[in-house]
Amino acid sequence: TNISDRIAILIKEKGISTRALEQAIGCSNGVISRCISKGTDISSLWVSKIIEIHNDINPTWLLTGNCLLYTSPSPRDLSTSR
């Protein structure tokens, strides 16, 4: 997967809209949606803001696809392990 695929996974996993992510990180309307639809990279500024805002996401996963999505077990992981 590439970073645009992982951003799409993050959006789905968090249950937010693409526009909500764009607003949260302060980028223009369409920056993230174009990245996802065209499978292109985005500026490191936006990647760093995603990591800053969604600090439960593993930065290594977002950048490379290696490791787990979350830095610690997700709420869903915890609820299914009980």
Side-chain angles (χ1 to χ4, degrees):
T1 62
N2 61 31
I3 195 162
S4 59
D5 295 333
R6 291 187 294 279
I7 291 171
I9 292 168
L10 171 117
I11 288 169
K12 183 177 180 184
E13 183 69 24
K14 292 287 189 173
I16 60 175
S17 69
T18 303
R19 184 64 191 132
L21 179 61
E22 291 170 336
Q23 290 174 325
I25 65 173
C27 69
S28 299
N29 188 15
V31 168
I32 301 296
S33 59
R34 279 191 303 275
C35 161
I36 292 170
S37 67
K38 295 182 179 185
T40 58
D41 291 337
I42 61 169
S43 164
S44 60
L45 171 67
W46 305 131
V47 174
S48 64
K49 292 205 179 251
I50 290 170
I51 291 167
E52 181 182 320
I53 291 169
H54 295 285
N55 58 8
D56 58 333
I57 296 298
N58 187 329
T60 303
W61 173 82
L62 185 60
L63 294 171
T64 67
N66 296 327
C67 304
L68 298 174
L69 169 64
Y70 289 101
T71 54
S72 60
S74 72
R76 181 175 31 188
D77 292 340
L78 294 174
S79 68
T80 58
S81 65
R82 293 182 188 160

